[in-house]
Amino acid sequence: MSFSTVLSAAIEGLKVEFVQVEADVSNGLPVFHMVGYLSSEVKEAGERVRTAIKNSGFDYPAKRTVVNLSPATLRKRGASFDLPIAVSILSSLGEIPAGNREKCLIIGELSLDGRVRKVPGILPVTMEAFENGITCCIIPKENEAEGNLVTGMKVIGVESLQEAADFLNGKRTGNVPGETRKIKTCCGFQVSQKENEGSMPDFSQIKGQENVKRAAEIAVSGGHNLLMIGPPGSGKSMTAKCIAGILPPLDLKESMEITRIYSVLGLLKEEMPLIQERPFREVHHTATRSSLIGGGTVPRPGEISLAHGGVLFLDELPEFRKSVLEVLRQPLEERSIRIARTYGNYVFPADFMLVAAMNPCPCGCYPDLEKCTCTPAQIQMYLNRISRPFLDRIDLCVEAPRIRYEELTEEKKSESSEVIRKRVYQVREIQKERYRGTGITTNAMLGTDDIKKYCGLGAAESKLMERAFTMMELTVRAYYRIIKTARTIADMDGEEKIGEQHLREALGYRMVDKKYWRR
């Protein structure tokens, strides 16, 4: 047989595209020619593949070899086509029977001695393969645990080209679908807690700041965005990091969705590839737009996608370039990010909770005029780096005052993160039950129609919001966000209906930004 074809796959953004690797070996001048809209790294595969075949002990006669990666309209990138190209050539040479390749997807990079190296994106590839009726995947041994996350897929981890050929020739067997699934049972609240124990700060370590802790609990309970304003050393950054310890556990569907994103970027651990904890991403203020939202010639997910299902923490918020902050406005509303290129549009998930911290002025002492050394113009310029439309997307804004000596030396211990986490979990369960079957998981996700359905106000409550809307000069977006925050506070109190006390507390978290950002 001189012609053969092998199924492989390419990743465009987070989307998986199947690729047919075709090889034709015939008599003629001994050339190796590859076609199919290839990038430079794929074109280099020719030399790697030929050398790997020879060093693996196979006879490679001096013949004309043509390799085509189809479809020709799809740009092929990366080194993951090395193994399927080699298998396709060996099949054309008669080393591997044609029937054994049916319903089998092959992916992997080859070294010159025939070893198979790990490649990124194995999880989305195996998931897509399983959904399309493919029953077997031959992947690098280092990616085997990741591939085994897909229940029902027969995954063959190979360390060399020779091992891949042995399997296709029936000389070795792989795992039975459903085997090696022990890693799935690890996805749970108790496991995540043990893994993180001692690795993150605890709320019990924060002295004072009860109002900030309360705001943080409300924010996590409803998935709301949070902004903390206060002088340096008041515990803003530590509070944000403590939030990672009270996030609710992931269910298996969420875990697989987040793991898929990290897989594409090659950020998974080989020994424990399943992401079991909600991500907490802290971004430095020197971050660029592309690093934050994703991008590049070939768009890749950015920090907001890596924070999907978890928290994105922006410390020293006004130090970020204004253009960088402004690109967050769309994903904060739509919970996804769209990147357009001339050859296609890419959509990356970005359902994250934004936590930000900032000083009230460049020196950090405002509004204490006895200590603040900034001029009014400097303060205004500093605060104006954050636009009103951006602030409208913040649900809770809270002041973190300077800690008093009495609070610092107080021996009484505050509530631990474990206690708060249990309350957060209970509130999330209330929301989960309320919105079952709607695709909504938290109060922060409610749309305008959903608010009317789930957040109905009584006569007194409507009158209160009418006065607040006029006196505080609220925008429509801010108005609805206050109601969603009040819905969360009511859930925390175990109340079915939103009361005046819940609305007053929610409104209180909008008073702080009015204090600093005067119209």
Side-chain angles (χ1 to χ4, degrees), residues 326-384:
E326 292 303 297
V327 297
L328 288 176
R329 286 160 54 179
Q330 179 257 331
L332 282 172
E333 286 289 329
E334 299 183 9
R335 302 184 182 276
S336 64
I337 182 69
R338 301 174 187 275
I339 300 175
R341 292 291 182 269
T342 55
Y343 43 83
N345 295 320
Y346 298 81
V347 180
F348 299 135
D351 184 5
F352 61 91
M353 172 185 157
L354 176 66
V355 176
M358 60 175 285
N359 295 333
C361 68
C363 75
C365 296
Y366 182 79
D368 187 344
L369 299 181
E370 293 183 2
K371 296 181 180 179
C372 183
T373 59
C374 306
T375 64
Q378 288 175 324
I379 296 172
Q380 197 61 44
M381 186 179 298
Y382 182 78
L383 295 174
N384 284 345

Side-chain angles (χ1 to χ4, degrees), residues 287-357:
T288 62
R289 292 174 60 181
S290 293
S291 66
L292 195 62
I293 67 170
T297 306
V298 183
R300 289 160 59 87
E303 287 291 340
I304 63 173
S305 295
L306 289 173
H308 177 70
V311 173
L312 179 73
F313 176 44
L314 305 182
D315 202 0
E316 304 295 343
L317 189 65
E319 299 299 331
F320 284 81
R321 279 175 286 184
K322 192 170 184 177
S323 61
V324 173
L325 293 179
E326 292 303 297
V327 297
L328 288 176
R329 286 160 54 179
Q330 179 257 331
L332 282 172
E333 286 289 329
E334 299 183 9
R335 302 184 182 276
S336 64
I337 182 69
R338 301 174 187 275
I339 300 175
R341 292 291 182 269
T342 55
Y343 43 83
N345 295 320
Y346 298 81
V347 180
F348 299 135
D351 184 5
F352 61 91
M353 172 185 157
L354 176 66
V355 176

Side-chain angles (χ1 to χ4, degrees), residues 387-442:
S387 68
R388 293 298 310 186
F390 183 86
L391 283 170
D392 268 350
R393 288 162 172 82
I394 301 295
D395 302 87
L396 296 95
C397 187
V398 62
E399 279 188 291
R402 195 178 300 277
I403 297 175
R404 294 180 288 109
Y405 180 77
E406 294 79 9
E407 295 174 323
L408 186 64
T409 56
E410 189 178 19
E411 293 186 3
K412 180 183 176 182
K413 265 207 164 187
S414 302
E415 282 186 315
S416 67
S417 292
E418 183 179 356
V419 173
I420 299 173
R421 179 170 51 237
K422 289 177 180 177
R423 289 203 299 264
V424 168
Y425 179 74
Q426 291 171 356
V427 176
R428 286 288 186 107
E429 285 298 300
I430 293 172
Q431 296 168 62
K432 184 178 179 181
E433 186 61 33
R434 178 191 297 134
Y435 307 129
R436 187 177 298 277
T438 64
I440 299 171
T441 55
T442 62

Side-chain angles (χ1 to χ4, degrees), residues 2 5 24 77 141 148 192 247 331 345 347-348 371 497:
S2 63
T5 181
D24 183 87
R77 302 178 179 86
K141 186 71 175 179
N148 278 330
S192 298
L247 294 173
N345 295 320
V347 180
F348 299 135
K371 296 181 180 179
K497 294 185 177 181

